[in-house]
Amino acid sequence: MSEMQQASGGEVALSTQALVPSIQRFGEKDIEVTFLGNNADGQPTWILWNRNEPYLIGVLRQGKLGFTFEQRTDHGVMLHQDISFSRLQRAIAG
């Protein structure tokens, strides 16, 4: 898949085309998602940006047991480990 697309049921399918940003809707929010490639541990890694305001939302990695999301908040970084992608979607959608 060369760009992010909606899968059945409205779930997001993440792009694996390196360094090509795409816009994806999470609930009512448009999020810019960019695949960075595999990290040093061989895990696929994406960054998520707010489309309307230039700030980093977080870094997403796919591991064996699920996704790890390092989320930027007003109080620092919040780490969500081994979560499903549908749970991530709900969290971002607010």
Side-chain angles (χ1 to χ4, degrees):
M1 204 174 290
S2 64
E3 61 186 50
M4 192 171 298
Q5 300 174 356
Q6 291 287 113
S8 61
E11 188 171 312
V12 174
L14 293 173
S15 171
T16 55
Q17 185 175 6
L19 304 176
V20 178
S22 60
I23 303 299
Q24 182 59 49
R25 191 168 243 343
F26 286 79
E28 297 296 315
K29 298 178 183 176
D30 287 331
I31 305 296
E32 182 178 310
V33 180
T34 304
F35 179 64
L36 299 177
N38 292 342
N39 65 14
D41 295 325
Q43 298 171 322
T45 304
W46 296 264
I47 54 172
L48 286 71
W49 292 89
N50 183 324
R51 179 181 183 198
N52 299 320
E53 300 174 19
Y55 74 85
L56 178 68
I57 295 171
V59 176
L60 179 66
R61 296 186 318 266
Q62 185 174 15
K64 292 179 182 178
L65 299 176
F67 288 89
T68 298
F69 184 54
E70 297 176 43
Q71 180 181 16
R72 178 182 167 257
T73 70
D74 294 340
H75 299 94
V77 175
M78 182 179 290
L79 183 64
H80 308 273
Q81 291 183 303
D82 299 327
I83 62 173
S84 68
F85 194 74
S86 60
R87 182 171 174 212
L88 171 74
Q89 284 185 273
R90 288 191 305 270
I92 291 174

